[in-house]
Amino acid sequence: MLEHSTFLVRERVKVFASHNTYDIFAGDSDAKDPIGVAEEDLGFLTKLLRWFVSKQLLPTRVEIREKPDDSLVFSISRGIYIFRSRVEVHDAQGELVGYFKSKLISLSGGFYVYDKNDRQFAELKGNLWGFNYRILTPDGSVELGHVSKKWGGVAKELFTSADTYAVDVSPDLSDQPMAKMLVLAAALATDMIFKAETKGTIDLGE
């Protein structure tokens, strides 16, 4: 899956679901079948609590699996937090690849991306709610990837909250699968985890 550099992520429309599932398509291919799926992997107690407790207060784990064999590519997880969350990315063997740290006070909900050695790899900036944001190097000089909203069809856009968006990874990362993994994981974590955390926050400019 990580041989691609452009991805189309489409949320599945579900009724009364306790967890989210997204199909991942190759944006640089005409193939109509998904190349992967991102799905929350929650325990029974967490699924039950989600009906009564806000999801941003509960731990979560997202597994990204490749089609057609459903082999694990990487996972994204977040534990319980109070003010500032840490979302970790692990490879298929369970080894830490990197992590995301939310900004302490930010309206847009942007966050910092670190590698496994605690070095800042990137920063995510932009309009997260409008699906128009960029993943930049720490000094802001190089774009490593960007995410943009895609039209999901009249019925889906008007009558559901399901999202469809494109993730474009810089060609400079074509031979760096771990870096590409962090960029794709950042986009998925934004929609599946961080958006819930930005409700009610205030932007004081870092």
Side-chain angles (χ1 to χ4, degrees):
M1 191 173 80
L2 292 176
E3 68 271 17
H4 297 279
S5 294
T6 304
F7 306 90
L8 183 70
V9 182
R10 182 178 300 157
E11 184 177 1
R12 292 184 188 174
V13 178
K14 289 186 176 181
V15 179
F16 303 121
S18 60
H19 68 289
N20 296 323
T21 304
Y22 290 71
D23 288 311
I24 304 172
F25 300 83
D28 51 4
S29 170
D30 295 328
K32 296 182 180 180
D33 295 326
I35 60 173
V37 62
E39 183 171 17
E40 288 184 300
D41 178 36
L42 307 175
F44 173 77
L45 180 59
T46 301
K47 286 183 179 180
L48 180 63
L49 287 174
R50 278 196 169 186
W51 294 107
F52 308 99
V53 180
S54 179
K55 66 181 292 184
Q56 65 261 37
L57 300 178
L58 298 171
T60 187
R61 171 183 163 88
V62 179
E63 290 188 345
I64 293 79
R65 294 184 174 275
E66 189 168 14
K67 293 295 184 180
D69 60 358
D70 283 330
S71 59
L72 181 65
V73 180
F74 62 92
S75 64
I76 309 168
S77 59
R78 185 204 65 198
I80 297 175
Y81 76 102
I82 300 177
F83 298 112
R84 195 177 189 187
S85 68
R86 171 179 164 129
V87 176
E88 296 187 346
V89 181
H90 294 86
D91 63 19
Q93 288 71 46
E95 296 295 326
L96 180 68
V97 175
Y99 61 93
F100 313 138
K101 185 178 292 186
S102 60
K103 296 177 180 178
L104 188 60
I105 304 177
S106 176
L107 180 63
S108 65
F111 54 86
Y112 304 107
V113 181
Y114 295 86
D115 64 19
K116 65 179 181 180
N117 298 312
D118 299 317
R119 293 188 296 258
Q120 187 179 345
F121 169 73
E123 180 180 357
L124 189 145
K125 289 185 174 182
N127 180 3
L128 305 194
W129 292 98
F131 284 100
N132 182 21
Y133 53 89
R134 300 189 297 161
I135 301 167
L136 307 168
T137 53
D139 62 3
S141 63
V142 179
E143 182 178 274
L144 302 176
H146 70 267
V147 177
S148 56
K149 173 71 174 179
K150 293 297 181 182
W151 179 252
V154 175
K156 188 174 182 180
E157 295 292 339
L158 294 181
F159 301 109
T160 78
S161 60
D163 298 313
T164 301
Y165 54 94
V167 182
D168 293 302
V169 183
S170 169
D172 294 339
L173 302 181
S174 60
D175 60 346
Q176 302 179 50
M178 294 299 101
K180 190 181 293 186
M181 184 185 297
L182 283 176
V183 171
L184 179 57
L188 292 169
T190 297
D191 195 37
M192 301 181 78
I193 298 177
F194 280 107
K195 277 189 176 183
E197 298 180 8
T198 64
K199 295 178 181 179
T201 58
I202 301 173
D203 185 6
L204 297 180
E206 301 303 316

